[in-house]
Amino acid sequence: MNKVLFLDLKSPYQELQTELDAAYRRVMESGWYILGEEVDSFEKDFSAFCQTKHCMGVANGLDALHLILRAYGIGEGDEVIVPSNTYIATWLAVSYVGARPIPIEPDPATFNIDSARIESAITPRTRAILVVHLYGQTVDMDAVLAIARRHNLKVIEDSAQAHGAAYKQKQAGALGDAAGWSFYPGKNLGAFGDAGAVTTNDDELAERIRTLRNYGSKVKYFNEVKGYNSRLDPLQAAFLRVKLKHLNGWNSRRKEIALQYLSSLSDLPELTLPHVPEWADPAWHVFVIRHAQRDALQKYLGENGIGTLIHYPIPPHLSEAYQDAGYGRGDFPLAENIAQTVLSIPIGPHLASHQTAQVISAIRAFHGK
């Protein structure tokens, strides 16, 4: 039986081995291993890619969101609108600064935050709307920004899954006031370890984050604020510079696979396929289907050599980490139903055509087709 990995992390290195090895040698021979020229160069490259004025490399995606909130002065007693359907890191960033996450249910078609539900949740304590471009598809940002302008709120993008995604031909990461990025190895633009960044057009915010990420210091040993140690590693920056050159091509391959899935599985009524609004150009970080018999389908695919994952099996409000928030089962039924029915099937730039066909055949066979 030929196995289809859910996530293939070896192939990107094998494809780019010569370039990546050269980047490694360049950093090791430089004698400079904290911030410096490699990080500066990646920040310039990635800000140009995102069409923003600034990019600040940080240690990981959670730090990116945390530092944005901290730099905006959001803290104890404040509230931040978040999706009920997201990875827990989105909520954790809010909790880190002492603020309270206020969950909003998703649009059941896109799984992203439902903008029509946001305004009713705003209170005098609300400081920001933290949206997530879940699975690599952008939120309806015009609707969110209109609400934010009416209430004088910041709009922060969790772009951890949206490398190269666009909204009305504008890049994710340049749609709100600031965006947090993760370059975790499995992302469309992934490092070879943890890494992250912030993008923004806000000059003051950019300066504050550059200070906060480096112990609260602009000049060594002169600490202006109580900062953090959250700096993008130069070695990871060098690797990301190499991979960034290939991101558009890799995303195009993801799109080809997504279109193949959409066309080949559309006649299965038991299966709910991703919905793409006309204004969205997804990065297809993951390809997520829904099925009432999700666990049985996942087991069948596994038995036939096809790797799958669930993004995500437990909504944040039902996690042990947020027991103190007082939420219970049934409080956010849409997020709970999504968690019980979603399944991510293989997609990636190195997934071969015969492997895509194998996934399709197995799903169809499960349905007797």
PDB file of all heavy atoms in Angstrom, residues 106-125:
ATOM      1  N   PRO A 106     -18.715  31.241  14.178  1.00  0.00           N
ATOM      2  CA  PRO A 106     -18.295  31.366  12.786  1.00  0.00           C
ATOM      3  C   PRO A 106     -19.450  31.414  11.802  1.00  0.00           C
ATOM      4  O   PRO A 106     -20.583  31.032  12.111  1.00  0.00           O
ATOM      5  CB  PRO A 106     -17.480  30.089  12.563  1.00  0.00           C
ATOM      6  CG  PRO A 106     -18.128  29.092  13.474  1.00  0.00           C
ATOM      7  CD  PRO A 106     -18.560  29.864  14.695  1.00  0.00           C
ATOM      8  N   ASP A 107     -19.141  31.884  10.613  1.00  0.00           N
ATOM      9  CA  ASP A 107     -20.007  31.687   9.456  1.00  0.00           C
ATOM     10  C   ASP A 107     -19.910  30.203   9.104  1.00  0.00           C
ATOM     11  O   ASP A 107     -18.812  29.712   8.809  1.00  0.00           O
ATOM     12  CB  ASP A 107     -19.500  32.559   8.304  1.00  0.00           C
ATOM     13  CG  ASP A 107     -20.270  32.359   7.011  1.00  0.00           C
ATOM     14  OD1 ASP A 107     -20.964  31.336   6.875  1.00  0.00           O
ATOM     15  OD2 ASP A 107     -20.155  33.220   6.119  1.00  0.00           O
ATOM     16  N   PRO A 108     -20.997  29.447   9.124  1.00  0.00           N
ATOM     17  CA  PRO A 108     -20.907  28.003   8.886  1.00  0.00           C
ATOM     18  C   PRO A 108     -20.430  27.637   7.486  1.00  0.00           C
ATOM     19  O   PRO A 108     -19.991  26.511   7.259  1.00  0.00           O
ATOM     20  CB  PRO A 108     -22.331  27.505   9.138  1.00  0.00           C
ATOM     21  CG  PRO A 108     -23.209  28.710   9.042  1.00  0.00           C
ATOM     22  CD  PRO A 108     -22.373  29.878   9.445  1.00  0.00           C
ATOM     23  N   ALA A 109     -20.478  28.586   6.555  1.00  0.00           N
ATOM     24  CA  ALA A 109     -20.013  28.295   5.191  1.00  0.00           C
ATOM     25  C   ALA A 109     -18.494  28.376   5.086  1.00  0.00           C
ATOM     26  O   ALA A 109     -17.866  27.558   4.401  1.00  0.00           O
ATOM     27  CB  ALA A 109     -20.654  29.264   4.196  1.00  0.00           C
ATOM     28  N   THR A 110     -17.886  29.351   5.758  1.00  0.00           N
ATOM     29  CA  THR A 110     -16.443  29.568   5.617  1.00  0.00           C
ATOM     30  C   THR A 110     -15.643  29.146   6.840  1.00  0.00           C
ATOM     31  O   THR A 110     -14.414  29.046   6.765  1.00  0.00           O
ATOM     32  CB  THR A 110     -16.149  31.054   5.356  1.00  0.00           C
ATOM     33  OG1 THR A 110     -16.520  31.819   6.518  1.00  0.00           O
ATOM     34  CG2 THR A 110     -16.897  31.566   4.139  1.00  0.00           C
ATOM     35  N   PHE A 111     -16.316  28.928   7.973  1.00  0.00           N
ATOM     36  CA  PHE A 111     -15.688  28.606   9.267  1.00  0.00           C
ATOM     37  C   PHE A 111     -15.010  29.807   9.911  1.00  0.00           C
ATOM     38  O   PHE A 111     -14.524  29.714  11.037  1.00  0.00           O
ATOM     39  CB  PHE A 111     -14.676  27.451   9.165  1.00  0.00           C
ATOM     40  CG  PHE A 111     -15.195  26.196   8.524  1.00  0.00           C
ATOM     41  CD1 PHE A 111     -14.326  25.324   7.886  1.00  0.00           C
ATOM     42  CD2 PHE A 111     -16.537  25.866   8.567  1.00  0.00           C
ATOM     43  CE1 PHE A 111     -14.788  24.149   7.306  1.00  0.00           C
ATOM     44  CE2 PHE A 111     -17.009  24.695   7.994  1.00  0.00           C
ATOM     45  CZ  PHE A 111     -16.144  23.834   7.359  1.00  0.00           C
ATOM     46  N   ASN A 112     -14.924  30.936   9.202  1.00  0.00           N
ATOM     47  CA  ASN A 112     -14.324  32.149   9.754  1.00  0.00           C
ATOM     48  C   ASN A 112     -15.328  32.918  10.602  1.00  0.00           C
ATOM     49  O   ASN A 112     -16.543  32.714  10.494  1.00  0.00           O
ATOM     50  CB  ASN A 112     -13.810  33.044   8.629  1.00  0.00           C
ATOM     51  CG  ASN A 112     -12.427  32.649   8.155  1.00  0.00           C
ATOM     52  OD1 ASN A 112     -11.610  32.173   8.944  1.00  0.00           O
ATOM     53  ND2 ASN A 112     -12.149  32.851   6.875  1.00  0.00           N
ATOM     54  N   ILE A 113     -14.847  33.841  11.399  1.00  0.00           N
ATOM     55  CA  ILE A 113     -15.698  34.635  12.270  1.00  0.00           C
ATOM     56  C   ILE A 113     -16.825  35.279  11.462  1.00  0.00           C
ATOM     57  O   ILE A 113     -16.617  35.773  10.346  1.00  0.00           O
ATOM     58  CB  ILE A 113     -14.860  35.705  13.015  1.00  0.00           C
ATOM     59  CG1 ILE A 113     -15.657  36.327  14.156  1.00  0.00           C
ATOM     60  CG2 ILE A 113     -14.317  36.753  12.062  1.00  0.00           C
ATOM     61  CD1 ILE A 113     -14.808  37.163  15.100  1.00  0.00           C
ATOM     62  N   ASP A 114     -18.029  35.231  12.020  1.00  0.00           N
ATOM     63  CA  ASP A 114     -19.211  35.787  11.351  1.00  0.00           C
ATOM     64  C   ASP A 114     -19.313  37.267  11.707  1.00  0.00           C
ATOM     65  O   ASP A 114     -19.657  37.620  12.839  1.00  0.00           O
ATOM     66  CB  ASP A 114     -20.452  35.026  11.809  1.00  0.00           C
ATOM     67  CG  ASP A 114     -21.718  35.431  11.055  1.00  0.00           C
ATOM     68  OD1 ASP A 114     -21.691  36.459  10.365  1.00  0.00           O
ATOM     69  OD2 ASP A 114     -22.734  34.715  11.170  1.00  0.00           O
ATOM     70  N   SER A 115     -19.026  38.132  10.748  1.00  0.00           N
ATOM     71  CA  SER A 115     -19.013  39.575  11.022  1.00  0.00           C
ATOM     72  C   SER A 115     -20.370  40.091  11.482  1.00  0.00           C
ATOM     73  O   SER A 115     -20.449  41.077  12.232  1.00  0.00           O
ATOM     74  CB  SER A 115     -18.549  40.346   9.784  1.00  0.00           C
ATOM     75  OG  SER A 115     -19.394  40.072   8.677  1.00  0.00           O
ATOM     76  N   ALA A 116     -21.443  39.416  11.089  1.00  0.00           N
ATOM     77  CA  ALA A 116     -22.785  39.862  11.472  1.00  0.00           C
ATOM     78  C   ALA A 116     -23.040  39.692  12.967  1.00  0.00           C
ATOM     79  O   ALA A 116     -23.974  40.287  13.516  1.00  0.00           O
ATOM     80  CB  ALA A 116     -23.838  39.086  10.682  1.00  0.00           C
ATOM     81  N   ARG A 117     -22.223  38.888  13.642  1.00  0.00           N
ATOM     82  CA  ARG A 117     -22.402  38.643  15.070  1.00  0.00           C
ATOM     83  C   ARG A 117     -21.511  39.521  15.952  1.00  0.00           C
ATOM     84  O   ARG A 117     -21.650  39.507  17.181  1.00  0.00           O
ATOM     85  CB  ARG A 117     -22.097  37.168  15.390  1.00  0.00           C
ATOM     86  CG  ARG A 117     -23.031  36.158  14.729  1.00  0.00           C
ATOM     87  CD  ARG A 117     -22.512  34.747  14.940  1.00  0.00           C
ATOM     88  NE  ARG A 117     -23.370  33.735  14.353  1.00  0.00           N
ATOM     89  CZ  ARG A 117     -24.277  33.018  15.019  1.00  0.00           C
ATOM     90  NH1 ARG A 117     -24.450  33.239  16.316  1.00  0.00           N
ATOM     91  NH2 ARG A 117     -25.009  32.113  14.414  1.00  0.00           N
ATOM     92  N   ILE A 118     -20.579  40.251  15.354  1.00  0.00           N
ATOM     93  CA  ILE A 118     -19.560  40.947  16.140  1.00  0.00           C
ATOM     94  C   ILE A 118     -20.138  42.124  16.926  1.00  0.00           C
ATOM     95  O   ILE A 118     -19.880  42.274  18.133  1.00  0.00           O
ATOM     96  CB  ILE A 118     -18.415  41.430  15.229  1.00  0.00           C
ATOM     97  CG1 ILE A 118     -17.615  40.227  14.690  1.00  0.00           C
ATOM     98  CG2 ILE A 118     -17.489  42.388  15.979  1.00  0.00           C
ATOM     99  CD1 ILE A 118     -16.542  40.599  13.687  1.00  0.00           C
ATOM    100  N   GLU A 119     -20.914  42.961  16.267  1.00  0.00           N
ATOM    101  CA  GLU A 119     -21.300  44.244  16.859  1.00  0.00           C
ATOM    102  C   GLU A 119     -22.080  44.074  18.162  1.00  0.00           C
ATOM    103  O   GLU A 119     -21.898  44.844  19.118  1.00  0.00           O
ATOM    104  CB  GLU A 119     -22.097  45.073  15.863  1.00  0.00           C
ATOM    105  CG  GLU A 119     -22.094  46.555  16.187  1.00  0.00           C
ATOM    106  CD  GLU A 119     -22.152  47.426  14.942  1.00  0.00           C
ATOM    107  OE1 GLU A 119     -22.568  46.932  13.875  1.00  0.00           O
ATOM    108  OE2 GLU A 119     -21.781  48.600  15.047  1.00  0.00           O
ATOM    109  N   SER A 120     -22.905  43.058  18.231  1.00  0.00           N
ATOM    110  CA  SER A 120     -23.716  42.854  19.433  1.00  0.00           C
ATOM    111  C   SER A 120     -22.867  42.443  20.640  1.00  0.00           C
ATOM    112  O   SER A 120     -23.332  42.520  21.789  1.00  0.00           O
ATOM    113  CB  SER A 120     -24.790  41.802  19.179  1.00  0.00           C
ATOM    114  OG  SER A 120     -24.206  40.546  18.885  1.00  0.00           O
ATOM    115  N   ALA A 121     -21.634  42.008  20.404  1.00  0.00           N
ATOM    116  CA  ALA A 121     -20.752  41.581  21.496  1.00  0.00           C
ATOM    117  C   ALA A 121     -19.844  42.692  21.996  1.00  0.00           C
ATOM    118  O   ALA A 121     -19.109  42.512  22.973  1.00  0.00           O
ATOM    119  CB  ALA A 121     -19.907  40.389  21.046  1.00  0.00           C
ATOM    120  N   ILE A 122     -19.858  43.840  21.347  1.00  0.00           N
ATOM    121  CA  ILE A 122     -18.987  44.949  21.725  1.00  0.00           C
ATOM    122  C   ILE A 122     -19.535  45.645  22.966  1.00  0.00           C
ATOM    123  O   ILE A 122     -20.734  45.913  23.079  1.00  0.00           O
ATOM    124  CB  ILE A 122     -18.841  45.938  20.552  1.00  0.00           C
ATOM    125  CG1 ILE A 122     -18.098  45.260  19.394  1.00  0.00           C
ATOM    126  CG2 ILE A 122     -18.114  47.209  20.985  1.00  0.00           C
ATOM    127  CD1 ILE A 122     -18.057  46.077  18.122  1.00  0.00           C
ATOM    128  N   THR A 123     -18.648  45.915  23.910  1.00  0.00           N
ATOM    129  CA  THR A 123     -18.990  46.623  25.143  1.00  0.00           C
ATOM    130  C   THR A 123     -18.021  47.796  25.310  1.00  0.00           C
ATOM    131  O   THR A 123     -17.062  47.933  24.535  1.00  0.00           O
ATOM    132  CB  THR A 123     -18.866  45.689  26.367  1.00  0.00           C
ATOM    133  OG1 THR A 123     -17.473  45.508  26.680  1.00  0.00           O
ATOM    134  CG2 THR A 123     -19.526  44.339  26.117  1.00  0.00           C
ATOM    135  N   PRO A 124     -18.221  48.626  26.326  1.00  0.00           N
ATOM    136  CA  PRO A 124     -17.259  49.715  26.578  1.00  0.00           C
ATOM    137  C   PRO A 124     -15.837  49.224  26.858  1.00  0.00           C
ATOM    138  O   PRO A 124     -14.886  50.007  26.749  1.00  0.00           O
ATOM    139  CB  PRO A 124     -17.854  50.425  27.808  1.00  0.00           C
ATOM    140  CG  PRO A 124     -19.322  50.157  27.721  1.00  0.00           C
ATOM    141  CD  PRO A 124     -19.432  48.768  27.176  1.00  0.00           C
ATOM    142  N   ARG A 125     -15.690  47.951  27.192  1.00  0.00           N
ATOM    143  CA  ARG A 125     -14.355  47.409  27.473  1.00  0.00           C
ATOM    144  C   ARG A 125     -13.658  46.838  26.236  1.00  0.00           C
ATOM    145  O   ARG A 125     -12.477  46.472  26.303  1.00  0.00           O
ATOM    146  CB  ARG A 125     -14.451  46.311  28.535  1.00  0.00           C
ATOM    147  CG  ARG A 125     -14.868  46.836  29.906  1.00  0.00           C
ATOM    148  CD  ARG A 125     -14.818  45.723  30.940  1.00  0.00           C
ATOM    149  NE  ARG A 125     -15.060  46.231  32.278  1.00  0.00           N
ATOM    150  CZ  ARG A 125     -14.953  45.516  33.389  1.00  0.00           C
ATOM    151  NH1 ARG A 125     -14.618  44.235  33.306  1.00  0.00           N
ATOM    152  NH2 ARG A 125     -15.188  46.051  34.560  1.00  0.00           N
TER     153      ARG A 125
END
